[in-house]
Amino acid sequence: MVGEQNLSSASNLRFLRFQVAWPEMISPCLWEDASIVLQLGFLAILFLCYIRNNLDHFYKGRKKLREVEKYPTDGKYGLSYKLSIICSILMLSTQVVALLASQQQNGSQCGSKASLLSSRIMQVISWTITLIVLYKLRSRKRIKFPWILRFWWTSSFLLSLARAMIDAHCIITQHDRLGVQEYDDIVNLASSVCLFILSIRGKTGATFSTTEDISEPLLNGKTEKISQLKRDNPYGNATLIQLVTFSWLNPLFEFGFKKPLDQDEVPDVDTKDSAAFLSQEFDQCLKRVKERDGTEIPSIYKAMYIFARKKAAINALFAITSAGASYVGPYLISYFVEFLNEKKFRSLESGYLLALGFLGAKLIETIAQRQWIFGARQLGLRLRAALISQIYKKGLILSSQSRQKRTSGEIINYMSVDVQRITDFIWYLNTIWMLPVQISLAIYILHLNLGSGALVALAATLIVMAGNIPLTRIQKRYQTKIMDAKDDRMKSTSEVLRNMKTLKLQAWDSHYLQKLVDLRKVEHNWLWKSLRLSALTAFIFWGSPTFISVITFGGCVLMGIPLTAGRVLSALATFRMLQDPIFNLPDLLNVIAQGKVSVDRISSYLQEDEIKSDAVEFVPNNQTELHVEIDGGKFSWDMETGGNPTLDHIQLKVKRGMKVAICGSVGSGKSSLLACILGEMNKLSGTVKVSGEKAYVPQSPWILTGNIRDNILFGKPYESDKYDRTIEACALTKDFELFAAGDLTEIGERGINMSGGQKQRIQIARAVYQDAEIYLLDDPFSAVDAHTGTQLFKDCLMGMLKDKTIIYVTHQVEFLPAADLILVMQNGKIAQAGTFDELLKQNIGFEVLVGAHSQALESVMTVETSSRTSEFAAIENDTDADANTNHEFPHTKQDSEHNLSVEITEKEGRLVQDEEREKGSIGKEVYMAYLTTVKGGALVPIILLAQSSFQVLQVLSNYWMAWACPAGGDELVAGMNFILLVYALLAVGSSLCVLLRASLVAIAGLLTSETLFSNMLTSILRAPMAFFDSTPTGRILNRASTDQSVLDLEMANRLGWCAFSIIQLLGTIAVMSQVAWEVFVIFIPVTAICIWYQRYYIPTARELARLAGIERAPILHHFSESLTGAATIRAFDQHERFTDANLCLIDNHSRPWFHNVSAMEWLSFRLNQLANFVFAFSLVLLVTLPEGIINPSIAGLAVTYGINLNVQQASVIWNICNAENKMISVERILQYSNLASEAPLVIEDSRPPSNWPDIGTICFKNLQIRYAEHLPSVLKNITCTFPGRKKVGVVGRTGSGKSTLIQAIFRVVEAREGSIVIDDVDVSKIGLHDLRSRLSIIPQDPTMFEGTVRGNLDPLEQHSDTEIWEALDKCQLGDIVRQKPDKLESTVVENGENWSVGQRQLFCLGRALLKKSSILVLDEATASVDSATDGVIQKIISHEFKDRTVVTIAHRIHTVIDSDLVLVLSDGRIAEYDTPTKLLERENSFFSKLIKEYSMRSQSFNMPKLQH
């Protein structure tokens, strides 16, 4: 053994340099002086506070006395307060002991006796005063410790820590024994650690039972309401010990272990984490930024900084502590190897002290680490809640133009994806503080061991880090591209899902499927580039510790610095610690880049134009008798073009109680006029004044998911008599009787299970129930049939609302005479205004509308009169008798979106079921399905083999260095070059293994996600209509965006990491047991405990993760609904209520998420402590074993690996849990990958002839249809024939099965029995695509897709331009499209919002004209056009389709009256089927009653007027 004496002179100098570098820091005198300065400061500040308080007391003395009496004296003191007293007493006693001891000692460590003595005396004084202050707190009823105390405790902790380190240093270097002073310092350190934790927590834990609970500020008094519903909130009430150990979660685990958790059983989040509190907080931050910068648009970055800074600072403190503590291990290793070398000269005590040092550092590191990780998650949660509520609030007030710029898909992406990225950034934020600390400590420790070799290491580290920056730049570019591609794909997906019915009926589903597949290809290309780059990065980073160590050791050999085993091992341990910061840097840069992109996207969205609040002036009721006044109004939808205003020269005065009708041809600006009164349009000039509350009924019904009653009440309290009157007036009583659960029936998404008329009437009922003063109705009668329309007009507009001001748009002329004022719109101007009589006299344009109507009416009259001349005489007597039958039959309300009323019965009014959630563990088959998707899983073993080889080679290389380098001594060893060469080769080999593994994981992961995606997409698009009716789009979109993202970018890595971390852990255990197999004695039971803990943890955590996943969809769903109905929400002034609902939904998601994250920390904390225990045990073993049994160098290697044991073990558990959580996404995607599919699109064996259907005869034979096995039939034994090339009208009241019949022809619903034969081909025997592509339908809800005019008319690109223009001209759109600059390429925005509803209807007609099929089905096709246009459409249809079969579901009677045959359905059976003339001859036929009703009504309105 070579002693320290034989140092070569070179290293002697170097060593001296080290010796000189230390004393300044370690000199006890320095620290004594520092402590005197600190104490003087503490006492001075205390004295100042004392004076200030006494002055205050002197001034406010009288007032204070009275106030104090309010607080009763019985306060309970928590654990924190008691602990602070105990620790302070301990500190005081240790200082007294130290003072006495210093009197005994002759030579102290510090030369100056005076400074030592004064320091000790001051300490005693300070701690006595601390105790007095603490005692005073009792009488002051403080909830928090004063800041001065907290500052003092923190300082004394740092002083004690410094003193303990000096003691340890002296004992190790001078081989001292422990004396009184040292034991005293240990007690001192323990107490000060406790006080330090109390000072961070800051709460005294006191609770007072006062009349006004001081400790809980109420949120604008709302909290009282909530508090009755409050679940317990264990986190908010946790004690300090519980917060450190996370044991406040224990009750939840006990519960979750017994049975799967449900949403209601998850405890509440703390007030400070609740969305309401956070949203308010963030608003205040924005306000503060506004005031500070004096800008209108506050910077969202600054607001986020103010919002998060306090919590982030606390997290940073923990993170830095944890980073610092993690380097104590590598620092002590070389001492430890030295100790093992010289065991016979050393006392065991100093060995145990070393072991204690290792353990203490590990404890501090793990506790601090758990706290900062938890803190970061919590901060992420807070920021997410704040941002989501901001995005939501903004969505409600976006101006129409901003809304057109951004589709709902994009805005929802901000909420789901971008907010998530910002939360990820918060998690990485602490890495920013840790990086410099970690790197500087590492270099410092290397400097102690290797002298100037450390500079080489630093250079190598910087090179690796710098090399990574360009890679990150490229990665960032790819990420942006991926986001854009994803946005496009999601936009199209949501459009396809919204219009699924149209796509199926038009047989365009395969075309749109292909379109989605193409969009996915673009996304796939960018994903592949990004993942390739990630694989390269992984290679660099796994290789970095070996690369740095090869360079460093090479540098040391060249500089002639001797490498001993102790130094090499300490360096290796340090390099492994360095791997983390280096590894985190690219991730950090990446996340910063992504985070910045996301913040910018959200920021630009939050700065979009809002609806101008000053567009409409609100005048109090008592100041004017005008309810609406527009003066010189000029309005436009589109500000930027600066072209023609949409509305111009608008002058309008509406007095209280007036009825104003607005009519005009399609696209003349009728709806826009209502929009400008609501303040939805940009006002270019003029004034709009409104006085009184508004209610608004939009043209396309907006229905919220929920039950019917909630839709009608719309936030108002339920008053039964008013409610019943409303329902009566809106003709809904009958419908509610049809529904199993009455008005508590659940409505599907977008009202999918209600027919158009029902939706429209529910909307009207909503407005009526609001009891507003001004009613704006946009074409409320278009979707309802003749009878119901009259009833609505009579009972509702002229009945319940007779005293209200009503402005209504209508196409039905029969509703005009009753108006006090009629406005005729033309090209955005009010062309005429006046009463019905005045306008008829004026003779300009108005009579065209009325004329068209009269002609239609006359056609009915002539048929009728010819059938029965004596009709008019009988009318008077019949009216009473008829009143009853009217109620039975003529609700010929359109019910095109098939009526699921029957289907609802079973599940008591539930159409949309709660989202399926698997319970219990994720099945093995999900894992197997994922792993074996690509090549049957052949790549998996190769990946595992590559990773194992990497691990083995790495252990070998470190082993080689430890074994080959001398244990002690400091002279250079010969053959060092050879040792390094072998090391370098092993290192290169291990890095190549990583490259192979990373590439394979990227390839396998992407191929798998691609396969799963296309399976899901095909499965969804081939699903039958029933699936879309009962599944909210939000659910499908969630899988296509969030879950698919997980599969694309994370899943493969997560699963890979599970395997890799287990392999790493096994490597570490192998190395440790190789040295001292006794470690196994303790390792096996500890592992058993770990596994038990994990088993205990998984059931609760898994359910929490699933709940968090499920609770995410409602936030997005509610948001997309609110975006669609934003105009209605604004018109009804319901921002508040919807915002609150959003906050509630955010909390519902936060609850399981927060507890899931905490549960992870709960587990990690326990596993960390167990790992620390194993590590400490093995150290004690190594110290205790007699000398000579083990090679000190190899023992050192074991310690090197052991230091990382807790990190590795935690990462195994963390990775397994993480993978299981992410696996839920795979599970959810697989759920939708094998849905029941429709019949095949094409059946090769039985394809119809190419000219089929030629004649177009439709023959129904004993047709029976029901929507589900257990439900009654909707159509019963329908047997009849629609002859070819004839016009057939189908009438019948709601629920009679009209639409079901149409759907049966198109096989949207399949027949249970019987058949439909078209031109001798049984439709059930041919493929769906063959069937649907040969029939034409004009659906009732006109749908248009985003894109161009051409793409909308002819998506399959089968027609030439001339054919398209011809079709456009025929359907009256030619001129409008020619006026647009882009002609056929003119844009159509999402939903076709930039075309009026009437124009959209005409486009649908254009599609049918292009298709030229022999059978045309009209489903209420002319509901939203005026009489004139309707007449035109009827002409076009009768002309263009004169020798084709036309089946019309009628709703304006005159559309059926010209038919060749009329089919009357009642309750799913054929009631009558004959020519109209024959049916009218029969006095009591349903049809004649219907006609009589219509003509009477029209006459009562019109006849007197038409006489003029």
Side-chain angles (χ1 to χ4, degrees), residues 779-904:
D779 202 3
F781 309 113
S782 64
V784 294
D785 58 67
H787 169 79
T788 320
T790 322
Q791 192 185 343
L792 269 177
F793 192 77
K794 212 165 54 208
D795 299 351
C796 190
L797 269 68
M798 297 301 171
M800 262 189 98
L801 304 180
K802 61 174 182 298
D803 305 327
K804 311 280 187 189
T805 306
I806 304 177
I807 303 178
Y808 60 97
V809 170
T810 184
H811 291 134
Q812 274 92 325
V813 179
E814 52 268 44
F815 299 129
L816 294 178
D820 303 320
L821 174 65
I822 299 174
L823 307 174
V824 182
M825 298 296 293
Q826 236 172 11
N827 303 332
K829 301 187 174 60
I830 299 180
Q832 294 165 281
T835 61
F836 194 81
D837 295 350
E838 290 165 14
L839 292 180
L840 275 178
K841 285 180 193 146
Q842 283 181 15
N843 250 2
I844 30 174
F846 179 64
E847 73 285 350
V848 176
L849 288 172
V850 181
H853 176 74
S854 310
Q855 274 169 19
L857 191 67
E858 273 156 29
S859 67
V860 177
M861 300 308 253
T862 43
V863 176
E864 202 174 7
T865 357
S866 66
S867 305
R868 261 167 300 154
T869 4
S870 59
E871 182 62 64
F872 290 114
I875 282 185
E876 307 318 317
N877 326 338
D878 268 5
T879 323
D880 310 324
D882 253 5
N884 316 333
T885 44
N886 283 350
H887 277 288
E888 283 160 40
F889 173 71
H891 271 252
T892 6
K893 198 182 67 0
Q894 86 187 56
D895 54 359
S896 157
E897 305 209 357
H898 64 251
N899 226 299
L900 288 163
S901 50
V902 211
E903 187 170 346
I904 291 170

Side-chain angles (χ1 to χ4, degrees), residues 590-606:
N590 216 346
V591 169
I592 290 178
Q594 286 187 10
K596 188 170 180 326
V597 171
S598 288
V599 175
D600 289 342
R601 277 163 55 111
I602 290 179
S603 173
S604 84
Y605 162 73
L606 290 178

Side-chain angles (χ1 to χ4, degrees), residues 38 245 398 628 645 713 807 873 1014 1446:
L38 268 173
T245 61
L398 278 182
V628 179
L713 297 179
I807 303 178
S1014 56
V1446 179

Side-chain angles (χ1 to χ4, degrees), residues 868-1086:
R868 261 167 300 154
T869 4
S870 59
E871 182 62 64
F872 290 114
I875 282 185
E876 307 318 317
N877 326 338
D878 268 5
T879 323
D880 310 324
D882 253 5
N884 316 333
T885 44
N886 283 350
H887 277 288
E888 283 160 40
F889 173 71
H891 271 252
T892 6
K893 198 182 67 0
Q894 86 187 56
D895 54 359
S896 157
E897 305 209 357
H898 64 251
N899 226 299
L900 288 163
S901 50
V902 211
E903 187 170 346
I904 291 170
T905 337
E906 288 309 296
K907 293 171 180 168
E908 270 320 285
R910 297 296 304 272
L911 168 80
V912 177
Q913 295 305 315
D914 285 339
E915 181 156 4
E916 345 59 71
R917 140 170 108 112
E918 316 269 344
K919 288 215 163 128
S921 66
I922 289 177
K924 300 280 170 291
E925 59 279 4
V926 177
Y927 286 97
M928 287 315 292
Y930 183 78
L931 292 173
T932 54
T933 305
V934 173
K935 310 245 191 306
L939 293 175
V940 177
I942 305 177
I943 291 173
L944 292 178
L945 187 69
Q947 180 66 18
S948 309
S949 326
F950 163 72
Q951 193 60 36
V952 171
L953 287 171
Q954 232 191 2
V955 171
L956 275 178
S957 61
N958 291 351
Y959 221 98
W960 166 256
M961 281 310 271
W963 178 77
C965 292
D970 260 336
E971 69 272 6
L972 288 167
V973 183
M976 204 63 213
N977 295 351
F978 172 67
I979 295 178
L980 268 178
L981 180 68
V982 174
Y983 180 66
L985 286 175
L986 288 169
V988 170
S990 69
S991 302
L992 289 174
C993 288
V994 173
L995 184 60
L996 176 67
R997 186 241 359 183
S999 316
L1000 286 177
V1001 169
I1003 293 168
L1006 191 58
L1007 286 175
T1008 308
S1009 87
E1010 202 51 38
T1011 314
L1012 289 176
F1013 175 78
S1014 56
N1015 290 350
M1016 173 173 75
L1017 189 64
T1018 318
S1019 162
I1020 289 174
L1021 285 185
R1022 294 286 298 111
M1025 235 11 251
F1027 168 75
F1028 297 97
D1029 292 347
S1030 57
T1031 312
T1033 6
R1035 270 181 214 171
I1036 304 174
L1037 289 178
N1038 221 337
R1039 284 170 171 79
S1041 64
T1042 325
D1043 293 325
Q1044 188 57 42
S1045 254
V1046 169
L1047 257 75
D1048 287 341
L1049 295 164
E1050 296 177 51
M1051 198 60 240
N1053 278 330
R1054 288 277 185 258
L1055 270 181
W1057 273 102
C1058 277
F1060 311 152
S1061 51
I1062 293 172
I1063 292 173
Q1064 260 193 312
L1065 185 64
L1066 292 174
T1068 302
I1069 296 164
V1071 173
M1072 283 178 75
S1073 57
Q1074 225 267 311
V1075 176
W1077 55 265
E1078 293 87 345
V1079 174
F1080 271 129
V1081 177
I1082 190 166
F1083 195 82
I1084 289 165
V1086 166

Side-chain angles (χ1 to χ4, degrees), residues 433-450:
W433 330 127
M434 288 162 72
L435 269 172
V437 175
Q438 286 169 318
I439 290 176
S440 42
L441 280 173
I443 299 302
Y444 174 64
I445 291 169
L446 287 172
H447 184 59
L448 290 183
N449 282 313
L450 305 175

